[in-house]
Amino acid sequence: MTRETILANATLVLPGETLRGTVRLVDGKIADIAPGSAVPQGAEDCGGDLVMPGLIELHTDNLERHIEPRPKVDWPHAAAIIAHDAELASVGITTVFDALRVGSVVSNAKANYGEYARALADEILGLRDQGALKISHFLHLRAEVCSETLVEELDKFGPADRIGIVSLMDHTPGERQFRDVTQLRKYVMGKHGMSEAEFETHIAVQKDLSARNGAVHEAAAVAAARRYGAVLASHDDTDVGHVARSAEHGAHFAEFPTTVEAAQACNDHGIKVMMGAPNLIRGGSHSGNVAASDLARAELLDIISSDYVPSSLLSAALMLGDLWGDLARGIATVTSAPAQAVGLSDRGRVEVGARADLVRVARIGTAGALRGVWAQGLRVA
């Protein structure tokens, strides 16, 4: 039986432009797009609301918040994954790359840095296979080079695991995101409740791990991405040397470069720049790094990630549309640009033949209120 939905009298956010018109969804795909404000019988009258592609999230820590809602509280995983999925659907995200850390520190139980990715991935993929999830889920393996077990953990995954992204994570103290050790001290001591002595021990251990394993682990992560058929991403590039190495490895995009210098170097190498929506909305980085708005004004921002606040993805895209004076361009940072970065050619654009992943949004001042979310033509929020 044919499944059809018609969204009429909408402001359609198309590639490079907006257009008042109607979009017809049939059996999970976009079947037709027509200009005009007419409302056919049986159609949903959008009253001029925006209708845009479903949002695509490449890097989110949101699942961790559901799995561990309080320190050392391990919530039932199936319930946590389903709640995470429903939350993302409710804010317009229809494709997500769930970020899972690989690479652990097993010699120090107090480090709270144990292995979990393989088991959690099995649970996510199992729920997907059962049809329990509303939106499309892929995996994003965050490969921590400053660890003890990265090679062994990477070997537990393969091409069948829907791994779309492998990102190179280097949290060596004094490097990249935390090249300012003062900022690292605030973050680590606050998050883990360490004393000053424990923090100094942590610094020494991390630097030793980096010295012993960093090069081997980095090479292993690059090779694993190729083996899985996944896209490689860099993380927290700070200078031109970091970016040059990312380019040598074949990185497609850079997560959260920390300086204008690094973002410019990414642009020069053809590496897309991704920044966090919370950074844009708050007006700056919580780690003291470059502001996303500065990169946007310098034409050095391509993709937005919600990072740790799922609802920020839509808000940031609308903000960028206002900043650039080009709504379609702003929306592209959370739809077509991330889709292109990871090779998903079937979504991220309102065009005939694409997946019917769509979001209806009413503009209220500078904000946006969601009025509906469809994933493969099914209303999910």
Side-chain angles (χ1 to χ4, degrees):
M1 184 175 178
T2 299
R3 187 176 75 246
E4 181 181 71
T5 299
I6 301 174
L7 304 176
N9 190 25
T11 302
L12 303 178
V13 183
L14 305 176
E17 64 174 336
T18 59
L19 172 74
R20 182 62 68 97
T22 294
V23 59
R24 185 166 65 97
L25 318 179
V26 177
D27 293 338
K29 293 189 179 297
I30 296 174
D32 185 57
I33 298 170
S37 57
V39 181
Q41 185 176 2
E44 180 172 328
D45 185 353
C46 295
D49 287 350
L50 301 173
V51 170
M52 63 185 70
L55 312 186
I56 298 173
E57 175 55 72
L58 300 187
H59 174 126
T60 175
D61 302 332
N62 188 61
L63 180 55
E64 295 177 4
R65 182 172 60 83
H66 285 274
I67 294 291
E68 190 177 8
R70 290 286 186 274
K72 300 182 180 179
V73 173
D74 187 26
W75 204 252
H77 288 186
I81 295 165
I82 290 169
H84 159 68
D85 170 77
E87 181 183 0
L88 298 190
S90 76
V91 297
I93 296 170
T94 55
T95 299
V96 62
F97 288 72
D98 291 313
L100 307 177
R101 173 184 50 79
V102 283
S104 306
V105 176
V106 296
S107 62
N108 178 10
K110 192 170 183 179
N112 192 30
Y113 220 51
E115 179 181 351
Y116 73 97
R118 178 67 266 181
L120 187 55
D122 287 340
E123 292 177 290
I124 295 169
L125 297 174
L127 288 168
R128 174 186 175 274
D129 291 343
Q130 294 171 46
L133 304 179
K134 294 183 174 186
I135 68 172
S136 181
H137 287 254
F138 294 88
L139 301 183
H140 171 169
L141 298 186
R142 305 177 67 196
E144 181 54 70
V145 301
C146 196
S147 66
E148 295 172 334
T149 64
L150 180 59
V151 174
E152 295 85 348
E153 291 190 45
L154 289 170
D155 286 345
K156 295 178 181 179
F157 290 88
D161 287 314
R162 286 179 67 84
I163 301 166
I165 304 167
V166 174
S167 55
L168 295 170
M169 312 290 293
D170 183 357
H171 287 113
T172 304
E175 297 287 338
R176 296 181 180 261
Q177 180 183 6
F178 291 116
R179 59 177 176 169
D180 182 349
V181 178
T182 301
Q183 292 290 340
L184 177 63
R185 176 181 281 103
K186 291 178 183 177
Y187 178 78
V188 172
M189 292 179 68
K191 183 175 181 179
H192 298 293
M194 290 183 180
S195 66
E196 183 65 35
E198 288 171 332
F199 174 72
E200 292 299 330
T201 299
H202 169 77
I203 290 287
V205 168
Q206 291 297 101
K207 286 186 174 181
D208 178 63
L209 284 173
S210 179
R212 286 189 288 116
N213 301 332
V216 171
H217 283 179
E218 187 169 302
V222 172
R226 296 194 185 108
R227 186 169 74 250
Y228 307 149
V231 163
L232 188 73
S234 64
H235 191 83
D236 294 335
D237 290 332
T238 299
D239 56 38
V240 294
H242 291 155
V243 176
R245 195 157 80 240
S246 298
E248 288 173 8
H249 291 323
H252 283 219
F253 66 98
E255 298 187 305
F256 321 132
T258 66
T259 63
V260 174
E261 173 191 10
Q264 181 63 61
C266 286
N267 184 267
D268 295 342
H269 282 281
I271 297 172
K272 299 301 183 183
V273 171
M274 183 172 85
M275 294 295 286
N279 178 324
L280 183 71
I281 291 167
R282 294 177 64 251
S285 164
H286 73 276
S287 300
N289 297 319
V290 68
S293 58
D294 290 344
L295 296 187
R297 292 187 181 94
E299 304 292 329
L300 294 173
L301 176 57
D302 303 295
I303 302 168
I304 290 290
S305 162
S306 70
D307 199 4
Y308 56 93
V309 185
S311 63
S312 67
L313 198 60
L314 174 61
S315 297
L318 295 173
M319 283 183 65
L320 285 173
D322 292 341
L323 186 154
W324 286 327
D326 185 341
L327 177 63
R329 182 183 175 194
I331 297 302
T333 64
V334 299
T335 56
S336 60
Q340 290 167 9
V342 293
L344 290 178
S345 59
D346 63 342
R347 67 197 75 187
R349 301 163 74 91
V350 177
E351 60 184 20
V352 173
R355 277 172 59 111
D357 293 351
L358 295 173
V359 177
R360 175 184 169 188
V361 177
R363 285 304 299 261
I364 301 176
T366 59
L370 267 110
R371 297 291 188 239
V373 182
W374 291 262
Q376 288 190 286
L378 292 174
R379 189 161 190 157
V380 295

